[in-house]
């Protein structure tokens, strides 16, 4: 497996070349990219061929694979869905020109606080149906491009568990829909005792559909706190063993960390992958 990272980790660097240079210095092999690094927004307002060319050239220069693109927005937001859909197609075109195979999206929440805040109505069949309807619009667009839409089970979103992710895959049965797996997103506070059970279940249920893996960590006692890989409770030895048994050999994308934590997280992940 390759060690990758959210390129947004270096969002404060100011220009694209500095982002790629910083990642290259750490030996990063792949990126989940975000167009906000190019002076705009995660969902761009327009297609910029000059910018796309610059990103591609820098990736080639620093030998960093562009494994995925972030395209998150609240999929349950009916009022802005048209706008979000138009901008997502711009992002799909960008991905196609950069040969980025995966576009990461969020399955949404009824919370108005943030995309990552849980709401009890997320568990309703009405929300499930709305999420699928809106996702269907993106899947129709994805058929025009060589792009896979990656859905990540998140406890704060409609697809909040591996079982719900499996349900989504079974109901949609669409070749352009796959799963991004992050072990830290499978847990709620106080669930440390379910560590191996939850990770093992997720990989078993989703192994045929995992297109990308995220690598962050979390503390599970008392309240949930996300951490850099190696600084929480996630059993990475077991996580990686399950992924290997399932045949996954793509990137593990570090995120949820500061630039100051990058070196330690890379060392930790390397030690786990070499074990």
């Amino acid at each position: 497996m390759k060690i990758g990272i959210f390129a947004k980790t270096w969002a404060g660097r100011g220009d694209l070349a500095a982002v790629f240079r910083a990642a290259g210095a750490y030996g990063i092999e792949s990126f989940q990219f975000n167009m906000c690094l190019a002076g705009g927004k995660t969902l761009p307002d327009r297609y910029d061929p000059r910018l796309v060319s610059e990103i591609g050239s820098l990736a080639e220069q620093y030998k960093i694979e562009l494994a995925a693109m972030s395209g998150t927005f609240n999929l349950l937001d009916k009022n802005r869905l048209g706008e979000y859909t138009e901008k997502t197609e711009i992002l799909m075109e960008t991905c196609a020109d950069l040969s980025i195979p995966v576009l990461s999206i969020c399955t949404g929440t009824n919370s108005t606080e943030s995309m990552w805040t849980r709401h009890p109505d997320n568990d309703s069949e009405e929300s499930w149906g709305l999420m699928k309807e809106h996702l269907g619009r993106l899947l129709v667009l994805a058929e025009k491009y060589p792009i896979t839409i990656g859905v990540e089970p998140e406890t704060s979103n409609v697809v909040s568990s591996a079982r719900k992710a499996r349900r989504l895959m079974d109901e949609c049965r669409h070749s352009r829909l796959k799963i991004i797996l992050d072990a830290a997103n499978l847990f709620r506070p106080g669930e440390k005792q379910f560590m191996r059970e939850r990770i093992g279940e997720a990989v078993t249920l989703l192994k045929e559909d995992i297109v990308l893996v995220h690598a962050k960590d979390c503390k599970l006692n008392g309240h949930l706190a996300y951490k850099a890989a190696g600084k929480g409770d996630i059993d990475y030895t077991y996580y990686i063993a399950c992924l290997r048994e399932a045949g996954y050999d793509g990137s593990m994308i570090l995120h949820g960390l500061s630039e100051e934590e990058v070196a330690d997280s890379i060392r930790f992940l390397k030690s786990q992958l070499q074990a």
Side-chain angles (χ1 to χ4, degrees):
M1 296 181 219
K2 295 180 180 179
I3 295 179
I5 198 168
F6 269 37
K8 198 176 176 181
T9 305
W10 288 283
R13 285 299 177 105
D15 67 82
L16 277 175
V19 170
F20 279 89
R21 188 163 53 249
Y26 284 105
I28 291 294
E29 298 172 277
S30 60
F31 266 167
Q32 178 163 328
F33 198 72
N34 192 310
M35 291 302 288
C36 73
L37 292 166
K41 307 169 187 175
T42 297
L43 296 183
D45 294 320
R46 64 185 180 88
Y47 178 81
D48 187 335
R50 180 200 60 78
L51 195 55
V52 169
S53 177
E54 182 183 2
I55 294 167
S57 295
L58 286 167
E60 183 176 355
Q61 178 183 346
Y62 289 97
K63 296 180 172 55
I64 295 176
E65 175 191 357
L66 299 174
M69 177 76 83
S70 293
T72 51
F73 66 89
N74 190 345
L75 200 59
L76 294 191
D77 188 344
K78 293 182 288 186
N79 296 325
R80 299 185 66 186
L81 182 65
E83 171 197 346
Y84 287 147
T85 302
E86 290 178 7
K87 291 181 178 181
T88 298
E89 185 166 14
I90 294 170
L91 204 52
M92 288 180 181
E93 184 180 0
T94 300
C95 288
D97 285 351
L98 288 169
S99 298
I100 298 177
V102 179
L103 177 63
S104 172
I105 70 162
C106 160
T107 57
T109 177
N110 285 286
S111 172
T112 58
E113 184 178 333
S114 82
M115 286 188 292
W116 317 118
T117 300
R118 180 167 172 74
H119 191 284
D121 290 346
N122 290 356
D123 294 327
S124 70
E125 285 300 310
E126 181 181 358
S127 293
W128 182 265
L130 189 63
M131 178 272 297
K132 279 183 60 183
E133 177 189 340
H134 293 176
L135 174 60
R137 298 191 191 187
L138 300 185
L139 290 171
V140 169
L141 292 178
E143 292 171 0
K144 298 164 57 177
Y145 304 94
I147 188 78
T148 293
I149 291 178
V151 167
E152 185 176 352
E154 303 248 9
T155 56
S156 58
N157 288 169
V158 174
V159 177
S160 57
S161 67
R163 292 185 183 186
K164 286 190 174 181
R166 183 70 264 156
R167 175 187 172 186
L168 180 66
M169 297 302 297
D170 292 342
E171 290 182 5
C172 287
R173 295 189 179 279
H174 199 292
S175 62
R176 297 300 181 85
L177 181 64
K178 295 295 180 183
I179 297 298
I180 297 172
L181 186 64
D182 188 331
N185 288 343
L186 300 173
F187 299 93
R188 293 179 182 169
E191 294 186 337
K192 185 177 179 180
Q193 68 270 31
F194 303 122
M195 178 65 60
R196 292 198 169 200
E197 175 187 340
R198 195 71 54 80
I199 292 173
E201 176 189 57
V203 176
T204 299
L205 286 174
L206 303 169
K207 62 184 177 181
E208 301 298 329
D209 297 300
I210 297 172
V211 71
L212 191 68
V213 169
H214 283 173
K216 70 172 181 289
D217 217 325
C218 62
K219 284 287 187 180
L220 294 167
N221 292 329
H223 67 281
L224 181 69
Y226 291 115
K227 301 287 184 179
K231 296 187 176 181
D233 295 324
I234 296 299
D235 186 340
Y236 265 86
T237 300
Y238 185 67
Y239 186 25
I240 290 170
C242 288
L243 291 168
R244 282 183 169 145
E245 186 175 351
Y248 181 78
D249 60 359
S251 291
M252 293 196 78
I253 305 289
L254 292 164
H255 80 111
L257 72 168
S258 67
E259 183 175 348
E260 291 73 26
E261 295 173 306
V262 169
D264 284 345
S265 284
I266 290 174
R267 278 193 293 269
F268 169 75
L269 200 51
K270 276 185 177 178
S271 69
Q272 294 294 308
L273 290 171
Q274 293 168 358

